[in-house]
Amino acid sequence: MQWGNCKAISMILFCALAAIGISQVPNLSQRNFTIEDGLPSNECHDILQDSLGYIWIATDRGLVKFDGYTFKTYDISDGLLDMCCLRLRFGKQGNIWIQTLSHRIFIYKHKLDKIELYEHQQVIDPYIKQFPLSDFYTDSLDNLTLSLYGLGFLNIDGVGTAEIERRNKKR
């Protein structure tokens, strides 16, 4: 066999093997969970996965914890006084902060496996009567920042001191 033919065959084999390797796509699957599987509702607003692998789901019928096999729903009996959960955020020590439809903030206390109303909710209440809550954030010290439509940001520290950062209006 001549060197040119050997070279051509080698190139063809190389390209063929490379194409086979590239065309191998992992077999991804998707599963939809519904009420029949244990969710309290098919209306889900937010979802998080914690460091232990649990999936947390904000639904209109409570906070849901999914371990990969079963669903556990947290509701009024667990301290969640507003059932419609909209947003979830991680806090320190595995806690999960929850915004509800009534614009109240609750905290799932990981170590206690229960939910409590945010201890400085009374600071938030006067503002949300005028300015709807659009989103919220927490930091590593559990300071809370609320984004309020038409006002700006309401920052609340760990002792309940509030400070407003107004949005700059463009002219």
Side-chain angles (χ1 to χ4, degrees):
M1 191 183 275
Q2 294 182 358
W3 177 246
N5 288 341
C6 192
K7 196 172 170 184
I9 292 172
S10 295
M11 285 300 288
I12 291 171
L13 284 174
F14 175 76
C15 290
L17 290 174
I20 289 171
I22 292 172
S23 68
Q24 298 297 317
V25 177
N27 185 11
L28 301 176
S29 64
Q30 175 181 334
R31 173 144 188 232
N32 292 325
F33 293 100
T34 64
I35 294 170
E36 289 79 26
D37 298 303
L39 276 172
S41 171
N42 288 333
E43 186 177 320
C44 301
H45 299 280
D46 203 357
I47 189 166
L48 295 175
Q49 184 173 11
D50 67 19
S51 62
L52 300 173
Y54 293 110
I55 296 174
W56 296 88
I57 307 164
T59 75
D60 67 327
R61 295 201 178 141
L63 176 68
V64 178
K65 176 179 161 183
F66 181 59
D67 64 6
Y69 301 100
T70 58
F71 294 93
K72 178 180 180 182
T73 301
Y74 294 85
D75 55 22
I76 292 171
S77 64
D78 300 294
L80 185 62
L81 304 177
D82 298 335
M83 295 297 291
C84 188
C85 302
L86 298 179
R87 289 182 182 83
L88 304 174
R89 301 287 182 263
F90 286 121
K92 64 182 182 180
Q93 300 175 347
N95 296 337
I96 297 176
W97 293 60
I98 308 155
Q99 177 194 339
T100 62
L101 183 62
S102 66
H103 304 291
R104 293 202 281 180
I105 303 293
F106 291 85
I107 304 171
Y108 167 78
K109 303 284 186 160
H110 173 72
K111 289 182 179 177
L112 303 174
D113 193 36
K114 72 175 197 170
I115 298 172
E116 296 176 355
L117 181 65
Y118 174 54
E119 65 182 323
H120 304 299
Q121 181 66 44
Q122 74 280 359
V123 175
I124 299 170
D125 290 339
Y127 292 100
I128 60 174
K129 289 178 182 174
Q130 287 184 279
F131 307 102
L133 176 58
S134 66
D135 207 349
F136 75 100
Y137 308 92
T138 62
D139 65 14
S140 61
L141 300 174
D142 278 349
N143 296 317
L144 179 63
T145 299
L146 304 165
S147 176
L148 302 172
Y149 284 118
L151 179 67
F153 297 99
L154 175 62
N155 300 308
I156 305 171
D157 66 14
V159 295
T161 305
E163 178 185 36
I164 296 173
E165 280 182 54
R166 297 198 186 270
R167 290 193 173 119
N168 292 334
K169 293 183 180 180
K170 295 182 180 179
R171 296 179 190 202

